[in-house]
Amino acid sequence: MSLFAVLGLLAAAASAEEWKAPPIQLPKPLKHPVIAATPEELGRLRAALKATGPAHDAVARVVKQADEALSKPLAFPPRGGQHNQWYQCDKCQLALKTIDDTHHECPRCKTVYSGEPYDDVVYEHQHYAIIRGASNAAWAYALTGERRYADHAAKVLLGYAERYLRYPYHANTRNNLAWKIVSGGHLFEQTLNEAASLSCDLAPSYDLIHDALSQTDRAAIRDGLLVPMLKNMDKHKAGKGNWQTWHNAGMLAGGAVLGDLAWVEKAIAQPHNGFIEQMKVSVSDEGMWYENSWGYHFYTLHAMTLIAEYARRLGIDLWSHPTLRKMYTLPVHYTMADGSLPRWGDDVHASARGAGWLTEYAYAATKDPDLLPLLPQAPYWQSVMLGRDPSTKAEPPILTSRVFRSAGHAILRTRGEAGLTAAFTFGPYGGYHGHFDKLSFVFFGHREELGVDPGRAASQAYRLPIHRNWYKPTLSHNAVLVDKQPQRPACGKLELFVANHEYAAVAASCDEAYPGVCHKRLLVLTPTYLLVVDQLTSDKPRRFDWVYHNRGTTIECDAVKEPGKVPDKFVGLEYVQDIKTGATASPIRAAFAGKTVTTHLTMAGAEETEVLIGDGPCASILDRVPMAVITRHGTQTAFAAVLEPVPIGRRPAVRAVELTGAVVTVHRGDATDQATLSLANELDVTTGGKAVLVTPR
């Protein structure tokens, strides 16, 4: 890292330490709406609704949705909702399909489920639809002044005020009584969901129709719904985690619309839990949410956005916090070749542009030019309300190789036809939503995902064996297992990072994942291939499994012939299908054939090497990704492999890979490349004898 980059990080850290919280107070007099929008913002929305064109269409869409809500009978479910993790077939570990409110079918085995908790998942969706309809109606009232919209929103709020404490208290668990006591709710199964609903919809709806409500109705909503929800979430002091972020958003929103300063103070400044504390302990120096999952980064950022926006409308400046700002600007630097972000931890398919509507608020508050390229160039609700001209164009930043030391990630990029990108993770364990994936990587090229991290099941199968035995453990990642067991929660150590426009390299080590084992991994990205070198040493003889997953329709390997003996007592192997095994002392070649690109794996030979190929789950147990497991034994071993993506119809250039001591030699066409990594972590990469990448001496 350059001196200027180091100084920049130090300055950012210092500015975060120096940030002083503004006074926490409520406007006097309290005039509604107090958090939903300012008079200027409402004025922009009303003007657009009266006009014609794309801006009108963006605003009118909400009024149309309000009309749809008013056209339907209002029928409250008989009880609160339940988490989507229960909407699964236990046998097939697949998401269910809804037949009707009380019948739910497995798409594979056709088993039909009924009753609690399956019906309750459908009820949850119905609650969300009712509440969203009330929110749209409240906005329609604020924009048009038509009383019928306010009446519908009031009917929903009063209906829930009458039912909230009557709905049975429940949680997302059946067996953990302590967790149920602290984390459950009445309307939803988690304080998390109740806080999100309160902050996103219920409190703003009350805010927007406040002046249309009678004193009696205000009191009923306050005492039957808003205050009980606030008290319920406040019993759960979640501390470091996305739950508390949403609790804070709920407390700020609910407290503000009720004119209760104590709740607002808790949301921002409560020791160990408030916004200020979370900025200190839950976000990396670069702006990455600690759970090491882009899905949960943006999920948390949604709550952070509400906190900062509602505070702004109260006259409290939280947008000036430098760490909060970096949470919006950081993701773009992780963008992969297909526009997505690395699917680490419990994530499905996040992208920086996909969160543009959140970034809109950050841009309005900060006018940070780095955010402008992430924003849509067509009018939509947020751009109209906040007053940005969406026709203003901005060039996206030129993405280069970067290392994020605090978050524990490195992004390698090289120029060339393939547009290769690799993302490497070596940082702190992400907790509940993190995975046992230290020193793993993902690989992209030719604008496609190649090397795969499966993230989590799209159906949120958190409670099922497939989550704890496949998605979270090490076997499903491009990593190295020891003795057929998943890693322990661990943090790696960055050993080197060096890059130029044509080549990039990163090395990191970890001795926490497996006690008694030290693992060091080097990635070298060239314009045409990725070199992966692993060195492992142990205090006793071990089994080491080098694992790689790559998108494709098939996998072929010259070291395997027929189905062979499958290792037993191997966590996660029960989810691998079409297994073939073999053994060889020769170099190993495998091909992951895709529709447009084939990724060729070439690994240096060694004695007593076992090979297993097959396919494992990705988005679901039905979404299969080819994989290879290459096994060696001993107190120390090494792997040196090249991953070369080649468009269909072309032949791979890499002929062989050799590993001799600290030197890896790649024979590529008529050229020879070498990478040498010294014990002092000094790297030299040459091609044809010419140095192309060298660490500073």
Side-chain angles (χ1 to χ4, degrees):
M1 178 179 288
S2 70
L3 175 61
F4 292 108
V6 172
L7 292 175
L9 286 176
L10 292 174
S15 62
E17 287 295 324
E18 294 167 2
W19 185 82
K20 300 297 182 183
I24 302 173
Q25 55 194 13
L26 295 178
K28 292 182 180 180
L30 194 71
K31 186 176 180 180
H32 293 272
V34 64
I35 60 165
T38 66
E40 293 78 12
E41 291 163 350
L42 281 177
R44 295 187 193 112
L45 292 168
R46 289 167 179 160
L49 186 62
K50 292 177 181 178
T52 58
H56 162 84
D57 296 342
V59 177
R61 191 173 300 116
V62 172
V63 178
K64 181 180 179 181
Q65 291 168 347
D67 289 333
E68 291 173 356
L70 267 63
S71 69
K72 299 174 183 177
L74 181 58
F76 294 97
R79 54 184 182 267
Q82 184 52 270
H83 197 289
N84 193 63
Q85 69 176 348
W86 291 98
Y87 212 62
Q88 319 275 337
C89 174
D90 288 0
K91 176 183 177 182
C92 300
Q93 303 190 67
L94 280 171
L96 301 177
K97 292 187 177 181
T98 304
I99 300 174
D100 55 41
D101 288 0
T102 58
H103 295 87
H104 324 277
E105 184 180 69
C106 173
R108 174 184 272 183
C109 70
K110 304 303 180 182
T111 299
V112 174
Y113 295 81
S114 188
E116 190 276 333
Y118 312 103
D119 297 358
D120 303 61
V121 177
V122 175
Y123 296 156
E124 177 137 315
H125 297 317
Q126 293 173 352
H127 284 304
Y128 281 131
I130 291 170
I131 292 168
R132 173 48 57 183
S135 177
N136 290 331
W139 277 109
Y141 169 71
L143 300 184
T144 67
E146 294 184 29
R147 183 63 188 237
R148 62 194 180 98
Y149 294 121
D151 289 345
H152 178 81
K155 189 175 182 180
V156 171
L157 294 176
L158 289 165
Y160 279 120
E162 179 184 353
R163 290 166 174 80
Y164 180 76
L165 290 175
R166 294 182 182 179
Y167 278 156
Y169 182 88
H170 60 293
N172 65 5
T173 181
R174 289 180 166 184
N175 301 320
N176 190 330
L177 179 60
W179 179 246
K180 179 178 180 180
I181 291 172
V182 72
S183 71
H186 295 273
L187 179 53
F188 298 111
E189 77 286 356
Q190 301 176 143
T191 54
L192 171 67
N193 302 50
E194 293 202 345
S197 185
L198 179 63
S199 57
C200 292
D201 292 308
L202 293 172
S205 296
Y206 176 81
D207 193 23
L208 290 165
I209 68 168
H210 176 274
D211 294 350
L213 294 169
S214 68
Q215 290 286 359
T216 300
D217 287 346
R218 291 176 197 165
I221 296 168
R222 179 191 66 223
D223 297 338
L225 182 62
L226 301 183
V227 171
M229 290 185 80
L230 287 166
K231 289 181 177 179
N232 186 58
M233 72 184 67
D234 190 39
K235 78 182 189 304
H236 185 185
K237 310 294 186 184
K240 182 178 180 180
N242 65 75
W243 284 57
Q244 187 61 48
T245 314
W246 278 106
H247 293 171
N248 293 339
M251 289 188 288
L252 195 153
V257 299
L258 293 175
D260 190 335
L261 181 62
W263 289 111
V264 178
E265 289 175 329
K266 277 188 177 185
I268 297 172
Q270 185 180 42
H272 310 299
N273 294 290
F275 168 86
I276 296 171
E277 178 70 12
Q278 288 212 313
M279 287 293 99
K280 292 180 181 178
V281 303
S282 298
V283 186
S284 78
D285 295 340
E286 304 93 354
M288 178 76 182
W289 183 250
Y290 81 97
E291 288 179 293
N292 197 30
S293 161
W294 283 113
Y296 279 91
H297 179 93
F298 290 121
Y299 180 59
T300 308
L301 194 58
H302 185 176
M304 291 289 188
T305 303
L306 296 181
I307 292 169
E309 270 298 275
Y310 292 165
R312 175 182 68 84
R313 292 174 182 139
L314 295 173
I316 305 168
D317 179 20
L318 301 182
W319 280 115
S320 61
H321 199 295
T323 302
L324 176 63
R325 291 188 177 201
K326 286 184 285 188
M327 292 183 74
Y328 297 88
T329 56
L330 179 69
V332 68
H333 298 290
Y334 284 72
T335 300
M336 298 288 100
D338 67 345
S340 70
L341 296 171
R343 198 188 298 105
W344 289 324
D346 287 342
D347 184 29
V348 177
H349 195 77
S351 70
R353 288 188 176 275
W357 70 280
L358 291 177
T359 308
E360 190 79 55
Y361 293 104
Y363 178 75
T366 67
K367 295 299 186 289
D368 186 336
D370 290 344
L371 298 174
L372 197 54
L374 300 176
L375 304 179
Q377 293 183 355
Y380 64 116
W381 178 272
Q382 283 80 9
S383 67
V384 174
M385 181 172 70
L386 298 172
R388 179 181 64 87
D389 179 1
S391 66
T392 303
K393 295 183 179 181
E395 292 297 322
I398 297 174
L399 300 179
T400 59
S401 298
R402 295 186 61 168
V403 65
F404 302 95
R405 294 173 181 268
S406 176
H409 304 135
I411 311 298
L412 308 183
R413 304 180 192 275
T414 57
R415 295 177 178 176
E417 177 190 5
L420 299 185
T421 308
F424 183 53
T425 178
F426 59 85
Y429 174 60
Y432 182 83
H433 291 294
H435 289 182
F436 304 130
D437 60 354
K438 212 54 56 198
L439 306 191
S440 72
F441 66 92
V442 294
F443 185 36
F444 288 72
H446 298 281
R447 303 190 67 82
E448 293 185 14
E449 179 186 41
L450 301 172
V452 173
D453 182 310
R456 66 156 170 83
S459 60
Q460 288 186 297
Y462 290 146
R463 69 179 180 87
L464 295 178
I466 194 171
H467 183 74
R468 60 181 178 269
N469 291 341
W470 176 257
Y471 289 105
K472 194 175 180 77
T474 313
L475 181 64
S476 66
H477 301 83
N478 299 323
V480 177
L481 284 77
V482 177
D483 293 337
K484 301 185 289 188
Q485 295 300 311
Q487 297 175 359
R488 294 184 179 185
C491 181
K493 175 185 177 183
L494 181 68
E495 301 288 355
L496 73 87
F497 175 80
V498 60
N500 55 41
H501 292 310
E502 304 298 330
Y503 294 83
V506 62
S509 62
C510 182
D511 58 8
E512 298 178 2
Y514 297 101
V517 176
C518 181
H519 179 196
K520 186 173 184 177
R521 168 165 275 184
L522 167 70
L523 301 183
V524 179
L525 189 66
T526 79
T528 59
Y529 66 80
L530 174 66
L531 172 64
V532 184
V533 184
D534 295 277
Q535 299 170 334
L536 296 113
T537 59
S538 173
D539 57 356
K540 61 182 179 181
R542 307 269 191 164
R543 172 192 173 109
F544 301 100
D545 290 291
W546 188 95
V547 185
Y548 180 66
H549 308 253
N550 198 100
R551 283 285 184 192
T553 54
T554 61
I555 176 175
E556 295 182 359
C557 179
D558 55 8
V560 300
K561 303 299 181 183
E562 299 293 339
K565 183 179 180 181
V566 178
D568 60 358
K569 299 181 180 178
F570 206 129
V571 176
L573 201 63
E574 64 268 31
Y575 297 103
V576 180
Q577 298 176 357
D578 297 326
I579 291 176
K580 295 180 181 180
T581 62
T584 183
S586 302
I588 298 166
R589 296 188 69 95
F592 298 83
K595 294 181 179 178
T596 60
V597 176
T598 295
T599 302
H600 296 269
L601 165 65
T602 306
M603 178 174 282
E607 295 182 0
E608 299 180 2
T609 299
E610 302 160 21
V611 181
L612 180 150
I613 63 171
D615 56 71
C618 191
S620 76
I621 203 167
L622 300 180
D623 179 24
R624 312 300 296 183
V625 174
M627 62 182 290
V629 181
I630 300 171
T631 305
R632 290 172 181 159
H633 301 261
T635 56
Q636 60 182 18
T637 194
F639 301 90
V642 162
L643 297 167
E644 181 187 13
V646 179
I648 296 297
R650 299 189 196 176
R651 296 178 63 84
V654 174
R655 295 183 287 107
V657 178
E658 298 174 354
L659 176 60
T660 306
V663 180
V664 181
T665 303
V666 179
H667 299 283
R668 176 175 54 88
D670 296 331
T672 299
D673 304 336
Q674 284 193 330
T676 305
L677 179 62
S678 72
L679 293 176
N681 291 318
E682 294 177 340
L683 177 68
D684 294 275
V685 179
T686 65
T687 181
K690 179 183 177 181
V692 293
L693 188 67
V694 179
T695 51
R697 302 294 197 265

